[in-house]
Amino acid sequence: MCGIVGYTGDELAKDILINGLKRLEYRGYDSAGVALEDAAGGAAHIDVIRRVGKVAGLEEALANRDAAATCGIGHTRWATHGRPSKENAHPHTSCNGRIAIVHNGIIENFAELREELGQRGHTFTSDTDTEVFAHLIEEAYYGWPVGSPSDPAAGTAPGASAAPGCHDLMAAVREACTHVVGAYGLAVVCADEPGVIAVARKDSPIVIGRGARGSYVASDVIALIDATRDVVVLEDGQFARLAPEGITYTDTEGAPIEPAVTHIDWDIDMAEKGGYPDFMLKEICEQPRVVRDTLVGRMTGGELTIDELGLSLEELNLIDRVYVIACGTSYHAGLIAKNLIEMWARIPCEVEAASEFRYRNPIITPSTLVVAVSQSGETADTLAAIRDARIKGAKVFGITNVVGSPVARESDGVIYTKANKEIAVASTKSFIGQVVSLTLLALLLAQVKYRLTVGQVRMLFRELGDTAEQIQWILDTQKDAIHEAALACKDAHSALFVGRGMGAAIANEGALKLKEISYLHAEAYAAGEMKHGPIALIDPGFPVIAIATKSPVYDKTVSNLKECEARGAKIVVVATEGDEDIARIADHVIYIPPVRDAFSAITATVPLQLLAREVALMRGCDVDQPRNLAKSVTVE
Ligand code: F6R
């Protein structure tokens, strides 16, 4: 949520910042801005340029400027405090304009801080929580009353005494952090320390790298991968001082530290569209690879193994309850997993939205396994739920797409989904990676509990691998059918997604994809529940999108569809190849290859992703960056 970037070196900062911000735009796109250190005409000062809307607007504004700065910071925003406006766009500056800050996170005590700072004479120009940071750093650096001694007219709280400034940016940032409650990843520049960027982190991602032409910071490695593949993932309570000649790291006391360096091995192509019209389509088309890569190395010596689990087989054998906690699409992957874990391992499994789980008092014992699923690995609610579950004594296992992310670090064990960087805001390939990973976990639990034999697990593993080709078949053959179905849905004001069993779980993801990228209201319902209320919605032409693949509940699902047909619904069905009968009640049929019901989510979700994308494009929507959303949700 929000992207930050910073550069100091010997190249033009504005170009590097804009490129970085474009890569980070998936984190938020309400407004964008940069602060450039400018030494032109003698004394150094900071130029702040901000625009409402996407980075392209900021790029245009910068194109006309002769900005020779070689040090600067930038930000792309997803609004939390304050509406999207130029005033609320980052960077924010101190009263004297000599300090500028970009921030990702939330300052929980900002109202008190703002009040106190106001009493001491600070004036605020935005509604954001971030701005208090700029003023806190200003006080620590220059002392107060504000602006003293050059601005003796500045206000001071009655009875308040003056404090001297430390005139050291790193010390001032450290001091400011001691007053703040909340989460932050921040980068700060000061006109009185040209070329220096101070960086701090708490509960918000920061990566730092050193390239041939300077020092870089960003909230995601994707913004600095052109410059270096060796990065430091800053930990909570660590600080960094970036200068053109190098980077130093310190702890909360200012003592030097040497953080570990992580090598990034994924390809820069991941950050480019590679000839596709949008990232969403590119990522949907990568799904066969995601299946294959997520399975690599899992079957060794004929036995399923997940070495990173962080639990011994004996400990796994003792597990008697599983909670899957996640949000959004990741939560839907959990719904699929529940079916598999209960079917194969015979362990009760509950799936809960992380935002609810953390505020309940769930029954957790040392034999409870909590599986936290998160593409980004930084979703605030999921992280808080992990912490809560661990305090209550559960073993926590993370499934995430981001190496070294907070979910990975705070869990007892982790499976990486191998989707690689996902840029489109709507999750597609990471969902498939999650479902495959959760399927492996379900198989492993069944294996250690002797509910499935090693031979059965091996056979299921082989079939799981086959889904890669099945997805490819859908991508290669169903384009026209999906296009026709999209034409039938595009002008609707609402749609229902229905299914039974696995189909009901898949319906949830289909409905979410459609609503989030096309802004067409959609709801998922268990098909058997339709007659208990939702069927009242159906009038002639109302789209009902059904998952009716060959499964033990196929006939029941078809009966429910007939009830919809009788009321004039326009019916789109995802069906099994070879099922000609379904065409009698369906207006549009999209086929998937025959697949075991347990694996049907991996294939049947793909046409629903493509359908949502087609409808969104027909309705003129931006499929990669839907309104009001951001890829990582680092606030509650
Ligand atoms: C929808 C989508 C979101 C995320 C949710 C959780 O397409 O992407 O619903 O699934 O915000 O995010 P992660 O998985 O990063 O925890």
Side-chain angles (χ1 to χ4, degrees):
M1 204 134 256
C2 299
I4 68 176
V5 63
Y7 168 74
T8 180
D10 55 17
E11 290 195 82
L12 279 188
K14 75 169 182 179
D15 298 340
I16 292 170
L17 297 181
I18 288 292
N19 284 339
L21 290 177
K22 281 185 182 165
R23 295 254 173 91
L24 294 172
E25 205 165 21
Y26 72 91
R27 298 180 72 87
Y29 31 84
D30 290 335
S31 61
V34 293
L36 298 168
E37 267 182 7
D38 195 348
H45 63 278
I46 293 173
D47 252 353
V48 174
I49 304 108
R50 303 181 289 185
R51 288 294 177 272
V52 175
K54 298 193 175 180
V55 175
L58 177 69
E59 184 177 25
E60 222 175 279
L62 279 172
N64 305 325
R65 286 188 178 235
D66 184 20
T70 56
C71 173
I73 53 179
H75 188 271
T76 178
R77 177 169 188 247
W78 187 82
T80 52
H81 287 76
R83 68 192 168 86
S85 68
K86 196 167 165 186
E87 295 70 40
N88 290 336
H90 297 219
H92 290 289
T93 48
S94 55
C95 291
N96 65 8
R98 300 192 69 71
I99 284 172
I101 179 170
V102 288
H103 164 231
N104 177 23
I106 285 269
I107 300 172
E108 287 162 15
N109 59 339
F110 97 102
E112 297 102 277
L113 290 172
R114 192 175 164 120
E115 166 96 32
E116 285 167 22
L117 287 159
Q119 282 173 4
R120 294 202 293 265
H122 292 264
T123 48
F124 287 80
T125 56
S126 77
D127 305 319
T128 64
D129 54 342
T130 300
E131 198 184 343
V132 299
F133 239 129
H135 295 282
L136 285 170
I137 297 167
E138 176 178 43
E139 282 199 345
Y141 193 95
Y142 295 102
W144 55 278
V146 177
S148 68
S150 57
D151 182 11
T156 319
S161 60
C166 65
H167 295 277
D168 173 344
L169 184 59
M170 290 310 298
V173 169
R174 281 199 305 275
E175 166 66 21
C177 288
T178 64
H179 298 278
V180 165
V181 177
Y184 49 81
L186 53 90
V188 187
V189 288
C190 172
D192 292 300
E193 294 194 22
V196 173
I197 302 176
V199 178
R201 163 202 161 126
K202 180 172 175 288
D203 290 337
S204 189
I206 287 281
V207 287
I208 292 172
R210 176 89 193 129
R213 306 287 301 267
S215 308
Y216 302 75
V217 57
S219 42
D220 186 326
V221 73
I222 197 163
L224 40 86
I225 196 151
D226 289 333
T228 178
R229 280 166 180 279
D230 295 311
V231 300
V232 166
V233 180
L234 210 63
E235 303 265 354
D236 284 353
Q238 295 183 337
F239 295 79
R241 180 184 185 277
L242 277 64
E245 64 282 0
I247 305 168
T248 49
Y249 297 92
T250 45
D251 63 14
T252 45
E253 306 300 321
I257 51 170
E258 276 198 30
V261 173
T262 304
H263 183 73
I264 305 301
D265 55 10
W266 48 263
D267 207 46
I268 191 64
D269 292 354
M270 295 292 162
E272 310 292 345
K273 286 186 191 153
Y276 287 91
D278 47 77
F279 280 110
M280 186 177 183
L281 183 60
K282 174 179 178 248
E283 290 164 2
I284 290 172
C285 291
E286 280 174 44
Q287 293 178 124
R289 178 201 55 77
V290 175
V291 174
R292 285 188 207 102
D293 287 0
T294 305
L295 295 181
V296 165
R298 295 299 175 197
M299 190 56 80
T300 45
E303 277 206 37
L304 180 63
T305 45
I306 306 180
D307 291 336
E308 321 86 295
L309 202 55
L311 294 178
S312 66
L313 295 183
E314 291 71 31
E315 283 174 303
L316 262 192
N317 197 17
L318 292 176
I319 297 297
D320 60 8
R321 179 194 292 267
V322 179
Y323 277 105
V324 182
I325 52 169
C327 303
T329 286
S330 303
Y331 169 82
H332 296 155
L335 297 178
I336 314 287
K338 173 184 169 69
N339 284 283
L340 303 181
I341 291 171
E342 294 192 343
M343 173 172 66
W344 287 330
R346 308 302 298 157
I347 305 174
C349 174
E350 290 182 46
V351 190
E352 227 175 295
S355 53
E356 293 296 320
F357 179 88
R358 56 183 295 205
Y359 291 114
R360 286 200 313 115
N361 191 7
I363 299 167
I364 288 180
T365 68
S367 52
T368 304
L369 177 66
V370 169
V371 183
V373 187
S374 173
Q375 184 283 128
S376 61
E378 56 173 322
T379 298
D381 285 317
T382 309
L383 270 174
I386 290 177
R387 289 168 192 156
D388 192 49
R390 291 190 75 179
I391 289 169
K392 291 191 167 104
K395 296 271 182 264
V396 177
F397 186 63
I399 293 187
T400 182
N401 195 32
V402 179
V403 176
S405 60
V407 164
R409 284 185 299 176
E410 297 199 24
S411 301
D412 296 297
V414 64
I415 294 186
Y416 289 113
T417 49
K418 308 287 168 59
N420 291 343
K421 190 76 202 166
E422 188 175 64
I423 298 205
V425 165
S427 281
T428 53
K429 62 175 180 170
S430 62
F431 172 78
I432 297 300
Q434 289 167 349
V435 175
V436 172
S437 303
L438 286 160
T439 306
L440 290 176
L441 181 64
L443 286 172
L444 187 71
L445 286 169
Q447 183 174 287
V448 296
K449 294 234 172 227
Y450 302 106
R451 297 282 184 183
L452 291 177
T453 64
V454 170
Q456 284 170 318
V457 170
R458 220 177 289 150
M459 178 196 72
L460 289 165
F461 183 88
R462 255 198 317 275
E463 282 184 33
L464 179 59
D466 292 343
T467 59
E469 274 159 37
Q470 291 161 353
I471 295 174
Q472 194 58 55
W473 183 91
I474 298 165
L475 296 173
D476 293 343
T477 64
Q478 296 303 295
K479 198 165 173 274
D480 293 346
I482 292 168
H483 183 76
E484 291 302 316
L487 283 172
C489 298
K490 75 176 177 44
D491 296 320
H493 57 273
S494 187
L496 274 170
F497 283 72
V498 299
R500 297 182 77 130
M502 273 295 185
I506 298 165
N508 285 284
E509 181 54 10
L512 176 60
K513 278 302 82 98
L514 186 66
K515 67 186 144 198
E516 72 178 321
I517 61 168
S518 75
Y519 320 143
L520 193 166
H521 172 255
E523 231 184 299
Y525 240 86
E529 287 291 292
M530 291 283 288
K531 54 188 167 295
H532 300 293
I535 203 162
L537 288 168
I538 293 179
D539 55 9
F542 188 101
V544 171
I545 296 124
I547 298 92
T549 51
K550 288 289 181 182
S551 76
V553 287
Y554 171 79
D555 291 337
K556 302 277 177 209
T557 312
V558 170
S559 303
N560 298 139
L561 289 181
K562 284 187 176 151
E563 292 153 12
C564 299
E565 185 202 17
R567 286 154 184 91
K570 195 176 286 176
I571 297 180
V572 175
V573 181
V574 175
T576 305
E577 188 200 3
D579 180 2
E580 305 294 338
D581 293 343
I582 199 80
R584 290 202 204 111
I585 52 164
D587 295 277
H588 299 277
V589 185
I590 305 166
Y591 285 112
I592 65 167
V595 61
R596 180 184 288 272
D597 190 38
F599 303 142
S600 60
I602 300 169
T603 51
T605 306
V606 177
L608 301 181
Q609 297 167 340
L610 290 165
L611 178 71
R613 176 181 171 275
E614 283 279 309
V615 172
L617 290 174
M618 288 172 186
R619 290 164 70 94
C621 302
D622 180 340
V623 295
D624 284 343
Q625 295 179 343
R627 70 185 179 203
N628 301 341
L629 295 176
K631 185 96 185 135
S632 299
V633 185
T634 54
V635 293
E636 275 190 49

